[in-house]
Amino acid sequence: MPASPSVSLSTFGKLPCAQCGASLTAPAWSEYLSAAQARHLWNCDDCGYEFETLVVFATDQKADIAPPLAA
């Protein structure tokens, strides 16, 4: 059985809507500002609320930004 990672940087599928609390699966749009920052635009299907989040990666970690592999 493979070991589970102990730390995950992904918030996909874990972020609640800031207005109604509904579970959001993935951002509608993402912009990589630099190797250390990414901005996400979220849209709630339940209430229509839109908001942005900014992800800041630690500067001592190597950030390899690549598109995810298709399942």
Side-chain angles (χ1 to χ4, degrees):
M1 175 181 290
S4 298
S6 60
V7 177
S8 175
L9 294 177
S10 175
T11 58
F12 293 6
K14 300 175 189 172
L15 187 69
C17 172
Q19 187 71 29
C20 73
S23 180
L24 303 177
T25 304
W29 174 80
S30 295
E31 177 182 18
Y32 294 96
L33 304 173
S34 70
Q37 293 184 341
R39 181 174 27 217
H40 302 297
L41 173 66
W42 299 87
N43 295 330
C44 180
D45 291 335
D46 289 355
C47 72
Y49 188 68
E50 293 184 355
F51 63 99
E52 291 184 7
T53 58
L54 178 66
V55 179
V56 180
F57 302 101
T59 56
D60 61 341
Q61 294 178 348
K62 182 179 177 186
D64 293 325
I65 299 174
L69 299 175

